PDB file of all heavy atoms in Angstrom:
ATOM      1  N   TYR B 317       4.832  -4.923  11.950  1.00 90.00           N
ATOM      2  CA  TYR B 317       5.612  -4.010  11.123  1.00 90.00           C
ATOM      3  C   TYR B 317       4.800  -3.713   9.868  1.00 90.00           C
ATOM      4  O   TYR B 317       4.276  -4.632   9.232  1.00 90.00           O
ATOM      5  CB  TYR B 317       6.948  -4.655  10.747  1.00 90.00           C
ATOM      6  CG  TYR B 317       7.789  -3.858   9.782  1.00 90.00           C
ATOM      7  CD1 TYR B 317       8.475  -2.725  10.190  1.00 90.00           C
ATOM      8  CD2 TYR B 317       7.900  -4.243   8.447  1.00 90.00           C
ATOM      9  CE1 TYR B 317       9.257  -1.999   9.304  1.00 90.00           C
ATOM     10  CE2 TYR B 317       8.685  -3.524   7.554  1.00 90.00           C
ATOM     11  CZ  TYR B 317       9.355  -2.409   7.988  1.00 90.00           C
ATOM     12  OH  TYR B 317      10.122  -1.685   7.113  1.00 90.00           O
ATOM     13  N   ARG B 318       4.668  -2.427   9.551  1.00 90.00           N
ATOM     14  CA  ARG B 318       3.941  -2.014   8.345  1.00 90.00           C
ATOM     15  C   ARG B 318       4.779  -0.989   7.608  1.00 90.00           C
ATOM     16  O   ARG B 318       5.322  -0.080   8.223  1.00 90.00           O
ATOM     17  CB  ARG B 318       2.578  -1.435   8.727  1.00 90.00           C
ATOM     18  CG  ARG B 318       1.670  -2.495   9.352  1.00 90.00           C
ATOM     19  CD  ARG B 318       0.432  -1.917   9.935  1.00 90.00           C
ATOM     20  NE  ARG B 318       0.762  -1.346  11.250  1.00 90.00           N
ATOM     21  CZ  ARG B 318      -0.061  -0.600  11.952  1.00 90.00           C
ATOM     22  NH1 ARG B 318      -1.248  -0.297  11.489  1.00 90.00           N
ATOM     23  NH2 ARG B 318       0.303  -0.134  13.119  1.00 90.00           N
ATOM     24  N   LYS B 319       4.850  -1.150   6.280  1.00 91.00           N
ATOM     25  CA  LYS B 319       5.708  -0.274   5.483  1.00 91.00           C
ATOM     26  C   LYS B 319       5.039   0.017   4.148  1.00 91.00           C
ATOM     27  O   LYS B 319       4.457  -0.876   3.525  1.00 91.00           O
ATOM     28  CB  LYS B 319       7.040  -0.977   5.244  1.00 91.00           C
ATOM     29  CG  LYS B 319       8.021  -0.248   4.360  1.00 91.00           C
ATOM     30  CD  LYS B 319       9.294  -1.093   4.225  1.00 91.00           C
ATOM     31  CE  LYS B 319      10.338  -0.445   3.380  1.00 91.00           C
ATOM     32  NZ  LYS B 319      11.556  -1.281   3.298  1.00 91.00           N
ATOM     33  N   LEU B 320       5.121   1.280   3.721  1.00 90.00           N
ATOM     34  CA  LEU B 320       4.628   1.700   2.413  1.00 90.00           C
ATOM     35  C   LEU B 320       5.766   2.347   1.640  1.00 90.00           C
ATOM     36  O   LEU B 320       6.559   3.090   2.210  1.00 90.00           O
ATOM     37  CB  LEU B 320       3.509   2.733   2.535  1.00 90.00           C
ATOM     38  CG  LEU B 320       2.216   2.346   3.222  1.00 90.00           C
ATOM     39  CD1 LEU B 320       1.276   3.543   3.256  1.00 90.00           C
ATOM     40  CD2 LEU B 320       1.567   1.186   2.512  1.00 90.00           C
ATOM     41  N   ILE B 321       5.810   2.087   0.340  1.00 90.00           N
ATOM     42  CA  ILE B 321       6.697   2.803  -0.571  1.00 90.00           C
ATOM     43  C   ILE B 321       5.783   3.619  -1.477  1.00 90.00           C
ATOM     44  O   ILE B 321       4.913   3.067  -2.156  1.00 90.00           O
ATOM     45  CB  ILE B 321       7.564   1.850  -1.420  1.00 90.00           C
ATOM     46  CG1 ILE B 321       8.310   0.838  -0.545  1.00 90.00           C
ATOM     47  CG2 ILE B 321       8.504   2.639  -2.320  1.00 90.00           C
ATOM     48  CD1 ILE B 321       9.328   1.443   0.385  1.00 90.00           C
ATOM     49  N   VAL B 322       5.959   4.946  -1.453  1.00 90.00           N
ATOM     50  CA  VAL B 322       5.053   5.860  -2.147  1.00 90.00           C
ATOM     51  C   VAL B 322       5.847   6.729  -3.117  1.00 90.00           C
ATOM     52  O   VAL B 322       6.876   7.309  -2.742  1.00 90.00           O
ATOM     53  CB  VAL B 322       4.307   6.768  -1.123  1.00 90.00           C
ATOM     54  CG1 VAL B 322       3.365   7.723  -1.826  1.00 90.00           C
ATOM     55  CG2 VAL B 322       3.565   5.910  -0.115  1.00 90.00           C
ATOM     56  N   ARG B 323       5.360   6.785  -4.358  1.00 88.00           N
ATOM     57  CA  ARG B 323       5.954   7.683  -5.364  1.00 88.00           C
ATOM     58  C   ARG B 323       5.512   9.096  -5.055  1.00 88.00           C
ATOM     59  O   ARG B 323       4.472   9.334  -4.441  1.00 88.00           O
ATOM     60  CB  ARG B 323       5.434   7.356  -6.760  1.00 88.00           C
ATOM     61  CG  ARG B 323       6.080   6.292  -7.556  1.00 88.00           C
ATOM     62  CD  ARG B 323       7.399   6.628  -8.196  1.00 88.00           C
ATOM     63  NE  ARG B 323       8.372   5.595  -7.878  1.00 88.00           N
ATOM     64  CZ  ARG B 323       8.481   4.439  -8.505  1.00 88.00           C
ATOM     65  NH1 ARG B 323       7.729   4.149  -9.515  1.00 88.00           N
ATOM     66  NH2 ARG B 323       9.371   3.565  -8.105  1.00 88.00           N
ATOM     67  N   ASP B 324       6.254  10.067  -5.523  1.00 80.00           N
ATOM     68  CA  ASP B 324       5.987  11.474  -5.224  1.00 80.00           C
ATOM     69  C   ASP B 324       4.618  11.931  -5.708  1.00 80.00           C
ATOM     70  O   ASP B 324       4.121  12.965  -5.287  1.00 80.00           O
ATOM     71  CB  ASP B 324       7.077  12.357  -5.807  1.00 80.00           C
ATOM     72  CG  ASP B 324       7.307  12.136  -7.292  1.00 80.00           C
ATOM     73  OD1 ASP B 324       6.642  11.279  -7.894  1.00 80.00           O
ATOM     74  OD2 ASP B 324       8.164  12.823  -7.853  1.00 80.00           O
ATOM     75  N   THR B 325       3.960  11.173  -6.550  1.00 75.00           N
ATOM     76  CA  THR B 325       2.619  11.522  -7.027  1.00 75.00           C
ATOM     77  C   THR B 325       1.525  10.990  -6.105  1.00 75.00           C
ATOM     78  O   THR B 325       0.349  11.109  -6.419  1.00 75.00           O
ATOM     79  CB  THR B 325       2.395  10.961  -8.442  1.00 75.00           C
ATOM     80  OG1 THR B 325       2.526   9.526  -8.381  1.00 75.00           O
ATOM     81  CG2 THR B 325       3.385  11.530  -9.426  1.00 75.00           C
ATOM     82  N   GLY B 326       1.911  10.369  -4.983  1.00 82.00           N
ATOM     83  CA  GLY B 326       0.927   9.776  -4.080  1.00 82.00           C
ATOM     84  C   GLY B 326       0.545   8.365  -4.483  1.00 82.00           C
ATOM     85  O   GLY B 326      -0.422   7.804  -3.993  1.00 82.00           O
ATOM     86  N   GLN B 327       1.326   7.775  -5.377  1.00 87.00           N
ATOM     87  CA  GLN B 327       1.064   6.440  -5.903  1.00 87.00           C
ATOM     88  C   GLN B 327       1.730   5.380  -5.028  1.00 87.00           C
ATOM     89  O   GLN B 327       2.915   5.479  -4.713  1.00 87.00           O
ATOM     90  CB  GLN B 327       1.648   6.357  -7.319  1.00 87.00           C
ATOM     91  CG  GLN B 327       1.108   5.270  -8.163  1.00 87.00           C
ATOM     92  CD  GLN B 327      -0.263   5.624  -8.679  1.00 87.00           C
ATOM     93  OE1 GLN B 327      -0.635   6.787  -8.772  1.00 87.00           O
ATOM     94  NE2 GLN B 327      -1.033   4.628  -9.002  1.00 87.00           N
ATOM     95  N   LEU B 328       0.975   4.366  -4.617  1.00 88.00           N
ATOM     96  CA  LEU B 328       1.523   3.257  -3.854  1.00 88.00           C
ATOM     97  C   LEU B 328       2.298   2.349  -4.803  1.00 88.00           C
ATOM     98  O   LEU B 328       1.739   1.832  -5.766  1.00 88.00           O
ATOM     99  CB  LEU B 328       0.387   2.471  -3.179  1.00 88.00           C
ATOM    100  CG  LEU B 328       0.800   1.247  -2.372  1.00 88.00           C
ATOM    101  CD1 LEU B 328       1.626   1.663  -1.156  1.00 88.00           C
ATOM    102  CD2 LEU B 328      -0.437   0.473  -1.930  1.00 88.00           C
ATOM    103  N   VAL B 329       3.583   2.162  -4.545  1.00 90.00           N
ATOM    104  CA  VAL B 329       4.387   1.280  -5.398  1.00 90.00           C
ATOM    105  C   VAL B 329       4.824   0.020  -4.666  1.00 90.00           C
ATOM    106  O   VAL B 329       5.335  -0.907  -5.284  1.00 90.00           O
ATOM    107  CB  VAL B 329       5.616   2.006  -5.999  1.00 90.00           C
ATOM    108  CG1 VAL B 329       5.185   3.072  -6.973  1.00 90.00           C
ATOM    109  CG2 VAL B 329       6.520   2.559  -4.940  1.00 90.00           C
ATOM    110  N   GLY B 330       4.599  -0.034  -3.348  1.00 90.00           N
ATOM    111  CA  GLY B 330       4.929  -1.237  -2.601  1.00 90.00           C
ATOM    112  C   GLY B 330       4.447  -1.157  -1.170  1.00 90.00           C
ATOM    113  O   GLY B 330       4.252  -0.075  -0.624  1.00 90.00           O
ATOM    114  N   ALA B 331       4.232  -2.331  -0.580  1.00 90.00           N
ATOM    115  CA  ALA B 331       3.797  -2.397   0.819  1.00 90.00           C
ATOM    116  C   ALA B 331       4.216  -3.727   1.430  1.00 90.00           C
ATOM    117  O   ALA B 331       4.289  -4.742   0.739  1.00 90.00           O
ATOM    118  CB  ALA B 331       2.282  -2.239   0.918  1.00 90.00           C
ATOM    119  N   MET B 332       4.487  -3.690   2.723  1.00 90.00           N
ATOM    120  CA  MET B 332       4.782  -4.895   3.478  1.00 90.00           C
ATOM    121  C   MET B 332       4.038  -4.807   4.804  1.00 90.00           C
ATOM    122  O   MET B 332       4.123  -3.798   5.502  1.00 90.00           O
ATOM    123  CB  MET B 332       6.282  -5.021   3.756  1.00 90.00           C
ATOM    124  CG  MET B 332       6.636  -6.246   4.590  1.00 90.00           C
ATOM    125  SD  MET B 332       8.353  -6.290   5.137  1.00 90.00           S
ATOM    126  CE  MET B 332       9.197  -6.382   3.592  1.00 90.00           C
ATOM    127  N   LEU B 333       3.282  -5.844   5.123  1.00 88.00           N
ATOM    128  CA  LEU B 333       2.551  -5.894   6.386  1.00 88.00           C
ATOM    129  C   LEU B 333       2.908  -7.189   7.099  1.00 88.00           C
ATOM    130  O   LEU B 333       2.727  -8.274   6.541  1.00 88.00           O
ATOM    131  CB  LEU B 333       1.038  -5.856   6.136  1.00 88.00           C
ATOM    132  CG  LEU B 333       0.505  -4.672   5.342  1.00 88.00           C
ATOM    133  CD1 LEU B 333      -0.986  -4.858   5.061  1.00 88.00           C
ATOM    134  CD2 LEU B 333       0.736  -3.378   6.076  1.00 88.00           C
ATOM    135  N   VAL B 334       3.386  -7.085   8.332  1.00 90.00           N
ATOM    136  CA  VAL B 334       3.717  -8.257   9.124  1.00 90.00           C
ATOM    137  C   VAL B 334       3.047  -8.102  10.477  1.00 90.00           C
ATOM    138  O   VAL B 334       3.207  -7.093  11.141  1.00 90.00           O
ATOM    139  CB  VAL B 334       5.254  -8.388   9.313  1.00 90.00           C
ATOM    140  CG1 VAL B 334       5.590  -9.588  10.188  1.00 90.00           C
ATOM    141  CG2 VAL B 334       5.959  -8.475   7.975  1.00 90.00           C
ATOM    142  N   GLY B 335       2.269  -9.091  10.871  1.00 85.00           N
ATOM    143  CA  GLY B 335       1.625  -9.066  12.179  1.00 85.00           C
ATOM    144  C   GLY B 335       0.285  -8.361  12.195  1.00 85.00           C
ATOM    145  O   GLY B 335      -0.690  -8.909  12.663  1.00 85.00           O
ATOM    146  N   ASN B 336       0.216  -7.168  11.679  1.00 80.00           N
ATOM    147  CA  ASN B 336      -1.033  -6.413  11.617  1.00 80.00           C
ATOM    148  C   ASN B 336      -1.352  -6.197  10.137  1.00 80.00           C
ATOM    149  O   ASN B 336      -0.763  -5.354   9.482  1.00 80.00           O
ATOM    150  CB  ASN B 336      -0.887  -5.076  12.340  1.00 80.00           C
ATOM    151  CG  ASN B 336      -2.155  -4.255  12.322  1.00 80.00           C
ATOM    152  OD1 ASN B 336      -3.067  -4.502  11.533  1.00 80.00           O
ATOM    153  ND2 ASN B 336      -2.228  -3.262  13.187  1.00 80.00           N
ATOM    154  N   THR B 337      -2.306  -6.963   9.630  1.00 81.00           N
ATOM    155  CA  THR B 337      -2.616  -6.925   8.195  1.00 81.00           C
ATOM    156  C   THR B 337      -3.987  -6.329   7.894  1.00 81.00           C
ATOM    157  O   THR B 337      -4.523  -6.534   6.815  1.00 81.00           O
ATOM    158  CB  THR B 337      -2.538  -8.347   7.606  1.00 81.00           C
ATOM    159  OG1 THR B 337      -3.489  -9.181   8.288  1.00 81.00           O
ATOM    160  CG2 THR B 337      -1.144  -8.935   7.749  1.00 81.00           C
ATOM    161  N   GLU B 338      -4.555  -5.583   8.821  1.00 80.00           N
ATOM    162  CA  GLU B 338      -5.902  -5.049   8.623  1.00 80.00           C
ATOM    163  C   GLU B 338      -6.018  -4.109   7.429  1.00 80.00           C
ATOM    164  O   GLU B 338      -7.076  -3.998   6.842  1.00 80.00           O
ATOM    165  CB  GLU B 338      -6.390  -4.348   9.893  1.00 80.00           C
ATOM    166  CG  GLU B 338      -6.690  -5.334  10.997  1.00 80.00           C
ATOM    167  CD  GLU B 338      -7.494  -4.732  12.113  1.00 80.00           C
ATOM    168  OE1 GLU B 338      -8.113  -3.675  11.918  1.00 80.00           O
ATOM    169  OE2 GLU B 338      -7.513  -5.335  13.186  1.00 80.00           O
ATOM    170  N   ALA B 339      -4.941  -3.460   7.043  1.00 82.00           N
ATOM    171  CA  ALA B 339      -4.997  -2.532   5.914  1.00 82.00           C
ATOM    172  C   ALA B 339      -4.792  -3.231   4.567  1.00 82.00           C
ATOM    173  O   ALA B 339      -4.852  -2.583   3.522  1.00 82.00           O
ATOM    174  CB  ALA B 339      -3.945  -1.440   6.093  1.00 82.00           C
ATOM    175  N   ALA B 340      -4.587  -4.532   4.568  1.00 83.00           N
ATOM    176  CA  ALA B 340      -4.236  -5.253   3.336  1.00 83.00           C
ATOM    177  C   ALA B 340      -5.271  -5.073   2.228  1.00 83.00           C
ATOM    178  O   ALA B 340      -4.903  -4.804   1.079  1.00 83.00           O
ATOM    179  CB  ALA B 340      -4.030  -6.733   3.634  1.00 83.00           C
ATOM    180  N   GLY B 341      -6.544  -5.222   2.532  1.00 81.00           N
ATOM    181  CA  GLY B 341      -7.582  -5.099   1.501  1.00 81.00           C
ATOM    182  C   GLY B 341      -7.565  -3.741   0.826  1.00 81.00           C
ATOM    183  O   GLY B 341      -7.612  -3.642  -0.405  1.00 81.00           O
ATOM    184  N   THR B 342      -7.475  -2.708   1.617  1.00 82.00           N
ATOM    185  CA  THR B 342      -7.444  -1.349   1.079  1.00 82.00           C
ATOM    186  C   THR B 342      -6.181  -1.121   0.257  1.00 82.00           C
ATOM    187  O   THR B 342      -6.230  -0.548  -0.833  1.00 82.00           O
ATOM    188  CB  THR B 342      -7.511  -0.319   2.226  1.00 82.00           C
ATOM    189  OG1 THR B 342      -8.726  -0.535   2.958  1.00 82.00           O
ATOM    190  CG2 THR B 342      -7.472   1.102   1.705  1.00 82.00           C
ATOM    191  N   LEU B 343      -5.049  -1.607   0.754  1.00 85.00           N
ATOM    192  CA  LEU B 343      -3.787  -1.417   0.037  1.00 85.00           C
ATOM    193  C   LEU B 343      -3.781  -2.151  -1.301  1.00 85.00           C
ATOM    194  O   LEU B 343      -3.300  -1.628  -2.301  1.00 85.00           O
ATOM    195  CB  LEU B 343      -2.610  -1.870   0.901  1.00 85.00           C
ATOM    196  CG  LEU B 343      -2.296  -0.976   2.091  1.00 85.00           C
ATOM    197  CD1 LEU B 343      -1.264  -1.629   3.002  1.00 85.00           C
ATOM    198  CD2 LEU B 343      -1.827   0.389   1.641  1.00 85.00           C
ATOM    199  N   VAL B 344      -4.320  -3.354  -1.326  1.00 85.00           N
ATOM    200  CA  VAL B 344      -4.384  -4.110  -2.585  1.00 85.00           C
ATOM    201  C   VAL B 344      -5.225  -3.349  -3.604  1.00 85.00           C
ATOM    202  O   VAL B 344      -4.856  -3.232  -4.773  1.00 85.00           O
ATOM    203  CB  VAL B 344      -4.929  -5.538  -2.358  1.00 85.00           C
ATOM    204  CG1 VAL B 344      -5.286  -6.208  -3.672  1.00 85.00           C
ATOM    205  CG2 VAL B 344      -3.914  -6.377  -1.603  1.00 85.00           C
ATOM    206  N   GLN B 345      -6.353  -2.811  -3.172  1.00 82.00           N
ATOM    207  CA  GLN B 345      -7.200  -2.027  -4.084  1.00 82.00           C
ATOM    208  C   GLN B 345      -6.462  -0.800  -4.606  1.00 82.00           C
ATOM    209  O   GLN B 345      -6.486  -0.518  -5.802  1.00 82.00           O
ATOM    210  CB  GLN B 345      -8.490  -1.584  -3.392  1.00 82.00           C
ATOM    211  CG  GLN B 345      -9.507  -2.670  -3.278  1.00 82.00           C
ATOM    212  CD  GLN B 345     -10.808  -2.158  -2.673  1.00 82.00           C
ATOM    213  OE1 GLN B 345     -10.863  -1.064  -2.110  1.00 82.00           O
ATOM    214  NE2 GLN B 345     -11.844  -2.944  -2.782  1.00 82.00           N
ATOM    215  N   LEU B 346      -5.815  -0.057  -3.723  1.00 83.00           N
ATOM    216  CA  LEU B 346      -5.084   1.139  -4.140  1.00 83.00           C
ATOM    217  C   LEU B 346      -3.966   0.780  -5.119  1.00 83.00           C
ATOM    218  O   LEU B 346      -3.755   1.466  -6.116  1.00 83.00           O
ATOM    219  CB  LEU B 346      -4.506   1.861  -2.922  1.00 83.00           C
ATOM    220  CG  LEU B 346      -5.515   2.550  -2.006  1.00 83.00           C
ATOM    221  CD1 LEU B 346      -4.856   2.942  -0.691  1.00 83.00           C
ATOM    222  CD2 LEU B 346      -6.116   3.761  -2.687  1.00 83.00           C
ATOM    223  N   PHE B 347      -3.268  -0.299  -4.833  1.00 86.00           N
ATOM    224  CA  PHE B 347      -2.162  -0.739  -5.680  1.00 86.00           C
ATOM    225  C   PHE B 347      -2.666  -1.209  -7.047  1.00 86.00           C
ATOM    226  O   PHE B 347      -2.164  -0.784  -8.085  1.00 86.00           O
ATOM    227  CB  PHE B 347      -1.394  -1.867  -4.976  1.00 86.00           C
ATOM    228  CG  PHE B 347      -0.174  -2.330  -5.708  1.00 86.00           C
ATOM    229  CD1 PHE B 347       1.005  -1.612  -5.634  1.00 86.00           C
ATOM    230  CD2 PHE B 347      -0.200  -3.498  -6.455  1.00 86.00           C
ATOM    231  CE1 PHE B 347       2.142  -2.042  -6.303  1.00 86.00           C
ATOM    232  CE2 PHE B 347       0.920  -3.935  -7.128  1.00 86.00           C
ATOM    233  CZ  PHE B 347       2.102  -3.210  -7.050  1.00 86.00           C
ATOM    234  N   ASP B 348      -3.674  -2.079  -7.045  1.00 85.00           N
ATOM    235  CA  ASP B 348      -4.203  -2.632  -8.303  1.00 85.00           C
ATOM    236  C   ASP B 348      -4.813  -1.568  -9.207  1.00 85.00           C
ATOM    237  O   ASP B 348      -4.651  -1.603 -10.419  1.00 85.00           O
ATOM    238  CB  ASP B 348      -5.245  -3.712  -8.030  1.00 85.00           C
ATOM    239  CG  ASP B 348      -4.643  -5.004  -7.522  1.00 85.00           C
ATOM    240  OD1 ASP B 348      -3.405  -5.170  -7.603  1.00 85.00           O
ATOM    241  OD2 ASP B 348      -5.408  -5.861  -7.025  1.00 85.00           O
ATOM    242  N   ARG B 349      -5.529  -0.640  -8.620  1.00 81.00           N
ATOM    243  CA  ARG B 349      -6.222   0.393  -9.402  1.00 81.00           C
ATOM    244  C   ARG B 349      -5.342   1.586  -9.737  1.00 81.00           C
ATOM    245  O   ARG B 349      -5.691   2.390 -10.592  1.00 81.00           O
ATOM    246  CB  ARG B 349      -7.430   0.903  -8.629  1.00 81.00           C
ATOM    247  CG  ARG B 349      -8.497  -0.125  -8.444  1.00 81.00           C
ATOM    248  CD  ARG B 349      -9.609   0.472  -7.652  1.00 81.00           C
ATOM    249  NE  ARG B 349     -10.656  -0.504  -7.432  1.00 81.00           N
ATOM    250  CZ  ARG B 349     -11.697  -0.309  -6.671  1.00 81.00           C
ATOM    251  NH1 ARG B 349     -11.844   0.843  -6.051  1.00 81.00           N
ATOM    252  NH2 ARG B 349     -12.597  -1.242  -6.517  1.00 81.00           N
ATOM    253  N   GLY B 350      -4.247   1.732  -9.010  1.00 82.00           N
ATOM    254  CA  GLY B 350      -3.395   2.901  -9.225  1.00 82.00           C
ATOM    255  C   GLY B 350      -3.980   4.166  -8.628  1.00 82.00           C
ATOM    256  O   GLY B 350      -3.593   5.269  -8.990  1.00 82.00           O
ATOM    257  N   ASP B 351      -4.939   4.006  -7.690  1.00 81.00           N
ATOM    258  CA  ASP B 351      -5.547   5.161  -7.044  1.00 81.00           C
ATOM    259  C   ASP B 351      -4.532   5.850  -6.130  1.00 81.00           C
ATOM    260  O   ASP B 351      -3.677   5.192  -5.533  1.00 81.00           O
ATOM    261  CB  ASP B 351      -6.755   4.740  -6.196  1.00 81.00           C
ATOM    262  CG  ASP B 351      -7.928   4.287  -7.033  1.00 81.00           C
ATOM    263  OD1 ASP B 351      -7.945   4.581  -8.239  1.00 81.00           O
ATOM    264  OD2 ASP B 351      -8.829   3.625  -6.477  1.00 81.00           O
ATOM    265  N   PRO B 352      -4.627   7.175  -5.986  1.00 81.00           N
ATOM    266  CA  PRO B 352      -3.697   7.886  -5.098  1.00 81.00           C
ATOM    267  C   PRO B 352      -4.024   7.610  -3.627  1.00 81.00           C
ATOM    268  O   PRO B 352      -5.179   7.384  -3.263  1.00 81.00           O
ATOM    269  CB  PRO B 352      -3.927   9.356  -5.441  1.00 81.00           C
ATOM    270  CG  PRO B 352      -5.302   9.407  -6.007  1.00 81.00           C
ATOM    271  CD  PRO B 352      -5.537   8.081  -6.679  1.00 81.00           C
TER     272      PRO B 352
END
């Protein structure tokens, strides 16, 4: 199960990854940096 919460500006405000976590590194970077 993979889930993203995205603000209307393209900003990642939350994520949940269960079972398939391959996107975790990229998501952490996007979240920490505030990149769109």
Side-chain angles (χ1 to χ4, degrees):
Y317 174 75
R318 295 171 280 170
K319 176 180 181 179
L320 297 178
I321 308 295
V322 180
R323 275 284 130 82
D324 54 359
T325 60
Q327 199 77 23
L328 178 66
V329 293
M332 178 189 297
L333 303 174
V334 178
N336 181 343
T337 60
E338 289 195 18
T342 301
L343 289 171
V344 167
Q345 283 184 346
L346 290 167
F347 184 80
D348 287 347
R349 294 179 181 174
D351 290 343

